[in-house]
Amino acid sequence: MRNFVGTDSEYIESRVLSATPAGLIEILYEKALEHMASAQFHLRAGEVVERGQAISKVQAIINELLHSLDTKKGGEIALNLQRLYEYSVLKLTEAHRFGTEAGLVEVERILQNMLDGWREATRPAQNTSSYDSVTADHMLLQPEAAPALRSWTL
């Protein structure tokens, strides 16, 4: 079995423990994409159990992102993200159930776009002196969700 997901647990732990809330979201997207690559590999190799495990990990990450949304503060953006996350979980379920790659590819594109957009939104602005002031405008996390994410197993 090929291992797509980084196994340097000390590095990952250090990165998670030192991450800002915005950084945690980025890590979750990155890990979801790593597990997506694994799911696609196992699909092509006919390894149903391993494919299911990889897809389950992606779904768990997406559900973590979904449940960390603050729909009151995030408004329409948060609601659209909620719909996108729910759609992605559905497509992953269908892809695993029917053993098709199209849903995996579609969700991979969605996650990659989300990661790219997140990185762009949280990049410090040239006119801003504080990274936190930039990310605060884009954070859709409930403040109480951030500590829970720190203990979440990738």
Side-chain angles (χ1 to χ4, degrees):
M1 180 173 97
R2 185 170 172 192
N3 185 7
F4 286 86
V5 182
T7 57
D8 187 357
S9 61
E10 289 179 15
Y11 168 74
I12 293 170
E13 181 179 354
S14 172
R15 191 170 168 215
V16 168
L17 291 174
S18 65
T20 63
L24 289 172
I25 299 298
E26 184 174 344
I27 292 168
L28 289 173
Y29 282 131
E30 290 171 353
K31 287 300 181 183
L33 286 164
E34 289 176 12
H35 290 296
M36 285 299 304
S38 176
Q40 290 177 22
F41 173 82
H42 294 303
L43 174 72
R44 290 185 207 114
E47 299 168 342
V48 177
V49 172
E50 293 85 353
R51 176 184 78 215
Q53 290 170 340
I55 289 173
S56 291
K57 288 178 183 181
V58 176
Q59 288 176 320
I61 292 170
I62 292 171
N63 281 322
E64 189 72 31
L65 291 164
L66 174 64
H67 295 297
S68 68
L69 288 174
D70 185 349
T71 55
K72 290 179 184 171
K73 290 182 184 175
E76 188 176 337
I77 293 172
L79 290 173
N80 287 337
L81 282 171
Q82 179 181 358
R83 288 184 203 108
L84 194 56
Y85 290 149
E86 290 169 348
Y87 175 79
S88 295
V89 169
L90 176 65
K91 294 307 282 185
L92 289 170
T93 300
E94 290 173 355
H96 182 55
R97 179 177 177 206
F98 298 112
T100 57
E101 192 168 7
L104 297 179
V105 170
E106 183 177 1
V107 173
E108 180 182 37
R109 276 192 221 121
I110 290 169
L111 290 171
Q112 187 62 57
N113 285 336
M114 298 296 290
L115 174 59
D116 294 343
W118 186 256
R119 285 177 174 159
E120 183 67 27
T122 59
R123 185 179 344 155
Q126 292 177 348
N127 298 339
T128 305
S129 60
S130 170
Y131 178 78
D132 290 335
S133 67
V134 174
T135 59
D137 293 338
H138 301 286
M139 290 303 298
L140 301 175
L141 277 178
Q142 297 172 5
E144 62 275 7
L149 287 173
R150 288 188 184 275
S151 65
W152 192 74
T153 303
L154 299 174

